[in-house]
Amino acid sequence: MGGSGSAGKAADARRAAHRGNRYGRSEEARQAVLDAADDLLVERGFAGVTMEGIAARAGVAKQTIYRWWPSKVDVLMDAFIEDMAEHLPVPDHGDLGRDLRAHLGGLAGFLTRSDPGAVFRALAGQAQHDPELAARLRADYLGRQRARDALPLARAVERGELPAGFDVGFALDQLLGPLYYRVLVTGEPVSREFTDRLVERFLSQYALPSSPSRPPG
């Protein structure tokens, strides 16, 4: 969504082309609102984002935004969820090791080096003292993203790389817990080397002996 370079210029062009209130609930207007919310959160932080500011940046009437979203939290959550789906497709190489390395590496880069990742960190911080936002973050982001994170493991079970009845939920905690801990708590780098080590440790513990992903023991 929001960002610099060609993506930022494209967003600016969309907003410039749709100043005023002469379009109804069009997809371009909706996208302009989501882009504006993303940009403002990165620039000003959660407290600095208002519905008035979003409307001014997007070039729409505030009443128009309220017809679509009841609060700025709803706008920001929709913007972030769309970013996740757009920028983090779940890999499917037919090999558990390749899929996990690509997925964890991509997730780490998204959360630590992109504007949408900054949006997530801001939302997670605000959620610590905003129960409504915390509930939305768990239901709308974590619930959906966890289902996406589970796909490589579920496919590996179907291919016989992981045992039948494998506890996917517990495995996700093992794989992703250290990543989110660094992103949200310690602030330590989440390098590709780090995420690859998480994957290698996981494969050595759980991949079946016949799996091509299992490291030699």
Side-chain angles (χ1 to χ4, degrees), residues 57-186:
R57 179 69 66 94
V60 303
K62 183 174 68 173
Q63 292 82 356
T64 300
I65 301 178
Y66 275 116
R67 283 202 299 269
W68 306 346
W69 295 279
S71 72
K72 73 177 185 181
V73 168
D74 295 277
V75 182
L76 291 168
M77 287 300 305
D78 278 1
F80 179 67
I81 289 168
E82 287 204 2
D83 281 333
M84 290 292 294
E86 177 183 353
H87 295 289
L88 277 179
V90 180
D92 186 6
H93 299 294
D95 176 84
L96 177 59
R98 288 185 65 192
D99 288 347
L100 289 179
R101 291 183 195 96
H103 187 57
L104 265 67
L107 179 61
F110 178 84
L111 293 176
T112 59
R113 296 190 292 274
S114 71
D115 281 353
V119 170
F120 169 74
R121 297 193 303 274
L123 290 173
Q126 179 67 20
Q128 301 310 303
H129 46 86
D130 185 334
E132 177 188 356
L133 176 56
R136 288 291 310 278
L137 193 62
R138 293 189 188 101
D140 292 353
Y141 164 65
L142 293 177
R144 297 185 195 186
Q145 185 58 31
R146 194 168 176 85
R148 289 159 50 82
D149 293 332
L151 285 174
L153 302 178
R155 292 167 180 158
V157 172
E158 293 176 357
R159 291 193 300 263
E161 292 182 84
L162 292 171
F166 184 71
D167 190 340
V168 170
F170 183 72
L172 288 178
D173 291 342
Q174 285 187 295
L175 282 167
L176 299 176
L179 189 158
Y180 280 103
Y181 183 73
R182 287 197 171 195
V183 169
L184 296 175
V185 180
T186 69

Side-chain angles (χ1 to χ4, degrees), residues 101 199-205 207-209 211-217:
R101 291 183 195 96
V199 173
E200 294 308 311
R201 183 182 65 180
F202 172 83
L203 294 174
S204 68
Q205 287 181 285
L208 293 174
S211 169
S213 296
R214 186 180 180 92

